Amino acid sequence: MTDTGRTINSAAHELGLEWRTVNRYARAAAWQDHVRRSRPRQPTALDPYLDHLRQRWDEGEHTAKLLHQKLLAKGQHGHYQQVKMALVPL
C-alpha cells in the first residue's frame, strides 16, 4: 500500500493496524522478515499417554474431563488443561 504513495498513517487506518506495525512491514525487504518463528514443541508428561488419548477419541470419547479422569486412574498426574489442549487438534 505504501508503494503506491499512500502514507503510513493512511494505510494503518485502512488496515486497522498500528502505524508502527505498518511502518515496520513497509521498510522490510520481505514480510517474512517479521513473522515470528514457532518454537519446537517441548515434550510434556502427557506424551506417553497421547496414543491412548487418540485411541479413546477415535472410539468416540470426546469429553476432556472424563479422559483426564481416566488418565489419572492410569497414573498420569498432569493437569486437566494439558489434556484439554492435547485434544484441540483432534
Side-chain angles (χ1 to χ4, degrees), residues 46 64 68 79-89:
L46 188 61
H68 178 247
H79 193 270
Y80 160 75
Q81 191 68 22
Q82 281 183 311
V83 174
K84 184 177 169 185
M85 294 308 295
L87 297 175
V88 168

Side-chain angles (χ1 to χ4, degrees), residues 6-79:
R6 297 191 61 180
T7 65
I8 298 291
N9 284 335
S10 172
H13 182 69
E14 185 172 331
L15 295 169
L17 298 171
E18 254 321 294
W19 71 266
R20 289 178 186 93
T21 303
V22 174
N23 188 42
R24 188 173 55 237
Y25 280 106
R27 291 182 309 159
W31 66 268
Q32 292 91 341
D33 296 341
H34 291 287
V35 175
R36 290 188 179 142
R37 310 273 190 276
S38 61
R39 291 188 219 157
R41 184 184 168 281
Q42 297 294 318
T44 69
L46 188 61
D47 285 355
Y49 301 93
L50 291 177
D51 289 337
H52 175 73
L53 280 176
R54 166 65 81 159
Q55 178 184 356
R56 295 295 309 238
W57 182 271
D58 291 344
E59 291 171 357
E61 181 54 63
H62 299 157
T63 308
K65 188 170 188 140
L66 182 60
L67 289 170
H68 178 247
Q69 291 170 350
K70 298 285 186 182
L71 289 180
L72 291 176
K74 286 181 145 301
Q76 198 272 345
H77 297 289
H79 193 270

